[in-house]
Amino acid sequence: MWQKLLFIALFCSESAVAEVKSWQLWKHQNGVSIHYKKHDNGIFEVRGTVTVSNTNAGDFMALLSDAENAPQWIENVKSVKVLARLSPSETVVYTQLDSPWPVSDRDMVSYSCYKRLNNTDTELKISAYPDYFDEQPNMIRITEIEGSWLLSEKIVQGLPQLTIVHEIYADPGGAIPHWISNKVGLKSALLTMLTLEKKLLSKDFQTNNTVSKIGECTAKAA
């Protein structure tokens, strides 16, 4: 009997954990889906998904490399600056965030690496690299970041099609209540993905010679 009760308890416990960690739909709008899941500290991890026709991974990476114009499509971003290229696939980027009132402005230093997963999928992984660049006046440095851009390509009726899945978790730091940061994060993700689709469809970005290439993620560890 006790073994049966133990099994039921373990099953219920595992189900509760799975429920907490599962993605929840927040909003679906104009082809963009935004999901979230809550971490133990109350902060949301956010996932945005959109599929863009007549677009490939190269188009997205070219748009992403146009750092000067990043504020045009990444919501609440004031400026983006490439600090270093550790290898053709690895980049260190400094970003200033124009946080909406009453949230103080934040900044972050991130390391990213672009790699191939299989024949159709590539991924840009992002993590915090806070000590690479000195803290700036009147900015709260975000020191916990984990994110990715998953790019899945296929051909539909003879034309390329790209599905983009963006996942991001960031602890904003400071005294901001989590309910505010979670609300801002969800809305920012939705607006970013909607504008991203428009940018890619219109090809409204500057292609330059600093687009990250598919490679290995080794330089940061070295």
Side-chain angles (χ1 to χ4, degrees):
M1 181 66 177
W2 66 268
Q3 289 129 325
K4 184 176 181 181
L5 291 173
L6 177 61
F7 173 79
I8 293 173
L10 288 171
F11 177 80
C12 292
S13 176
E14 290 174 1
S15 298
V17 170
E19 184 178 354
V20 169
K21 293 183 178 180
S22 63
W23 290 101
Q24 305 294 319
L25 177 65
W26 176 66
K27 187 170 290 188
H28 182 81
Q29 180 176 324
N30 297 338
V32 171
S33 295
I34 304 296
H35 291 77
Y36 69 92
K37 59 182 177 181
K38 184 185 289 187
H39 284 231
D40 291 340
N41 58 8
I43 298 174
F44 285 178
E45 182 175 354
V46 180
R47 181 176 71 191
T49 305
V50 66
T51 296
V52 188
S53 59
N54 197 25
T55 301
N56 57 38
D59 293 328
F60 172 80
M61 293 304 295
L63 171 60
L64 198 65
S65 74
D66 189 6
E68 183 177 341
N69 292 314
Q72 294 182 6
W73 66 276
I74 306 179
E75 190 70 12
N76 296 329
V77 163
K78 183 185 298 184
S79 65
V80 176
K81 180 181 180 182
V82 176
L83 297 178
R85 292 200 166 269
L86 306 181
S87 76
S89 61
E90 296 166 289
T91 307
V92 180
V93 174
Y94 175 67
T95 304
Q96 289 190 344
L97 304 175
D98 187 11
S99 303
W101 186 91
V103 180
S104 300
D105 286 350
R106 262 71 173 165
D107 69 358
M108 61 185 183
V109 183
S110 58
Y111 160 85
S112 64
C113 181
Y114 187 43
K115 62 182 180 179
R116 178 165 294 284
L117 301 180
N118 52 49
N119 289 339
T120 59
D121 298 346
T122 56
E123 182 182 47
L124 185 74
K125 291 286 289 184
I126 304 165
S127 59
Y129 207 178
D131 296 333
Y132 189 91
F133 187 60
D134 292 339
E135 293 191 16
Q136 302 298 297
N138 304 316
M139 288 283 172
I140 295 177
R141 176 65 50 89
I142 298 175
T143 60
E144 291 186 48
I145 309 162
E146 290 293 336
S148 64
W149 293 92
L150 176 63
L151 312 174
S152 300
E153 299 176 290
K154 65 179 181 179
I155 300 297
V156 178
Q157 297 181 345
L159 294 175
Q161 179 176 283
L162 183 69
T163 296
I164 303 169
V165 180
H166 179 43
E167 294 184 6
I168 187 70
Y169 168 84
D171 186 339
I176 176 176
H178 292 333
W179 70 267
I180 294 181
S181 63
N182 289 337
K183 183 178 180 180
V184 170
L186 289 168
K187 184 177 179 181
S188 295
L190 176 62
L191 295 176
T192 294
M193 298 301 282
L194 288 170
T195 310
L196 167 62
E197 180 182 18
K198 293 177 181 178
K199 284 282 187 180
L200 289 172
L201 286 172
S202 66
K203 301 296 185 286
D204 183 19
F205 50 86
Q206 299 294 321
T207 303
N208 56 50
N209 295 324
T210 58
V211 179
S212 293
K213 308 298 182 184
I214 295 170
E216 301 295 329
C217 304
T218 58
K220 182 182 176 184

